[in-house]
Amino acid sequence: MKYKMYDEMMEQPESLRKTFESEFSTLQEVSNMIPDADKVYLIGCGSSISTCYSVRDAIRMSSTNIDIEVYTGYEFYYNKRLQENENTIAIFTSQSGETADTLASLRRANEYGIHTVSISNEPDSSMTKEAKTPIVTRCETETAILGTKTYITQLACLYQILFSASDYENKTELLAQLAEMPKMLEKLLLLTEDENKALAEKLKDEDIFYCLGSGPNFGLAYKLAMTMLMEGAIKHACPEYSAEFRHGLIERAEKDVPVIIFRSDLESDEITQKAIDFCENLEAKLILFDLKDYADVDKLLSPFIFVIPLEWFVYYLAHFNGEDPGATRHIGKVRY
């Protein structure tokens, strides 16, 4: 059986192409503002905040000239340290452009005179209309709750904005690879389906998954656990930074417990390797996604690469458990 999410996954390369074509000048406009700002706030919820985590950690690992803070919607709204007309830029991320907490924070930032930027998939949304600089991802409507094409385009917009403004020594090569990402995604969608379908069938009866990553891969681990596994596949899941494995998870990881780990040969993956070694010695069900097995790109781009096999894995994990991977039970009914 084919679910709506299948079509949306296959539309990711073209959605990214269209977004770059239509929004590149606006992305560059925002990027040009960054060096003169004292700080950049990134705000989002769910899959959107996972993109904020990834780009924040990628920048912090590679660049020294951009001060970034990440907030969920209401955390930013209730932040008492905001000041009138502060020299900052706030980038608000939301697939719908109507996420209540993110929208409330955008309005609060506008009240404070902060320069607001929105990245949304809906051109007629409140966030698009109310942000001082709106950016619209060109994905058309997306129905899958876990986010596929809206995730990849949103992440790409954040990388384009922030790395263009960064002092990362390899940024020219990274941005060139980002521009070629649609072609890479096309290949990955074709090459990674079968192995991850088999993996999903093998693990379909598992109840809980632990997800670990370092640097920009933590944001992906967060997305995998929070929106892909829990919302899409209806499985219990927990995300952690790789370095935090020995604080908590080390006491819960046992023989045959599934632990998903991302390794990209980042400098911080020295610690990731310790978690891998421990899981292997313990005979946990280690599911290792290693960047070198998928693509030859800048290590900081690894979330773009890993998310494709993960989408196939979660798609079929839901299917083998009788679930529609794009459907929801409660999200959409509950508003704060």
Side-chain angles (χ1 to χ4, degrees):
M1 181 176 181
K2 195 164 79 169
Y3 305 92
K4 178 60 177 173
M5 179 183 161
Y6 180 93
D7 295 325
E8 294 175 351
M9 288 171 58
M10 302 307 290
E11 290 164 2
Q12 288 176 102
E14 188 60 22
S15 296
L16 187 51
R17 283 193 187 94
K18 289 179 178 178
T19 299
F20 278 151
E21 289 170 1
S22 67
E23 301 299 306
F24 192 83
S25 61
T26 308
L27 296 172
Q28 199 57 47
E29 175 189 334
V30 177
S31 184
N32 291 340
M33 300 177 191
I34 301 291
D36 295 327
D38 295 329
K39 185 177 297 183
V40 178
Y41 296 114
L42 304 179
I43 301 96
C45 303
S47 280
S48 291
I49 200 169
S50 79
T51 65
C52 298
Y53 287 143
S54 283
V55 75
R56 178 199 65 186
D57 291 344
I59 288 291
R60 285 179 175 176
M61 294 185 77
S62 62
S63 179
T64 60
N65 67 327
I66 305 176
D67 185 6
I68 299 178
E69 291 187 11
V70 172
Y71 290 89
T72 64
Y74 283 135
E75 283 183 313
F76 184 84
Y77 183 88
Y78 291 114
N79 180 8
K80 300 300 183 185
R81 299 185 65 184
L82 296 179
Q83 298 179 9
E84 296 281 350
N85 299 310
E86 60 178 74
N87 183 31
T88 57
I89 296 171
I91 303 177
F92 296 85
T93 58
S94 168
Q95 183 241 0
S96 66
E98 301 291 349
T99 308
D101 24 1
T102 309
L103 180 58
S105 290
L106 186 149
R107 289 170 174 165
R108 175 60 60 88
N110 279 338
E111 291 172 1
Y112 275 80
I114 295 170
H115 190 93
T116 54
V117 178
S118 67
I119 303 177
S120 169
N121 191 51
E122 298 298 331
D124 295 323
S125 69
S126 298
M127 284 175 56
T128 299
K129 293 175 181 177
E130 297 181 34
K132 292 173 183 174
T133 306
I135 295 165
V136 180
T137 55
R138 304 296 170 169
C139 304
E140 300 182 352
T141 300
E142 183 171 67
T143 61
I145 185 60
L146 51 79
T148 55
K149 52 187 179 176
T150 53
Y151 166 83
I152 209 80
T153 52
Q154 188 181 108
L155 185 65
C157 287
L158 288 171
Y159 266 69
Q160 183 67 44
I161 290 169
L162 291 163
F163 273 97
S164 290
S166 76
D167 60 1
Y168 177 40
E169 61 182 2
N170 295 325
K171 76 174 185 179
T172 300
E173 182 179 0
L174 180 146
L175 291 171
Q177 292 173 349
L178 184 62
E180 293 295 312
M181 194 57 66
K183 293 180 181 178
M184 296 186 203
L185 299 182
E186 286 173 338
K187 293 179 181 179
L188 288 166
L189 283 163
L190 294 175
L191 295 174
T192 62
E193 179 179 3
D194 290 344
E195 65 179 344
N196 286 285
K197 179 180 180 180
L199 181 64
E201 187 167 22
K202 178 180 177 181
L203 298 174
K204 68 181 187 299
D205 295 325
E206 299 294 338
D207 293 324
I208 187 166
F209 294 82
Y210 294 100
C211 311
L212 278 70
S214 176
N217 289 328
F218 168 73
L220 182 59
Y222 183 91
K223 172 181 169 59
L224 173 61
M226 301 294 285
T227 68
M228 299 179 79
L229 287 167
M230 284 203 278
E231 294 177 3
I234 319 298
K235 296 286 188 181
H236 292 292
C238 176
E240 280 196 358
Y241 278 103
S242 299
E244 283 296 280
F245 177 85
R246 68 187 183 94
H247 296 289
L249 180 51
I250 198 168
E251 295 297 336
R252 295 302 302 155
E254 300 172 0
K255 187 177 185 294
D256 294 330
V257 169
V259 182
I260 301 173
I261 301 181
F262 304 115
R263 181 173 62 192
S264 302
D265 199 26
L266 298 159
E267 185 178 1
S268 57
D269 278 338
E270 175 184 1
I271 306 301
T272 302
Q273 188 61 48
K274 294 181 182 297
I276 293 170
D277 294 342
F278 188 90
C279 288
E280 289 178 338
N281 291 334
L282 199 64
E283 297 183 21
K285 288 182 179 175
L286 174 64
I287 303 112
L288 179 62
F289 289 87
D290 199 323
L291 181 62
K292 64 180 175 58
D293 295 333
Y294 297 99
D296 181 16
V297 296
D298 190 296
K299 302 163 188 176
L300 299 173
L301 292 172
S302 53
F304 291 91
I305 305 302
F306 287 141
V307 76
I308 301 301
L310 292 177
E311 287 171 354
W312 284 126
F313 173 63
V314 172
Y315 179 90
Y316 283 109
L317 192 66
H319 170 71
F320 289 132
N321 281 275
E323 302 283 353
D324 179 341
T328 66
R329 296 184 296 175
H330 305 298
I331 299 173
K333 301 176 185 177
V334 178
R335 288 290 180 262
Y336 293 100

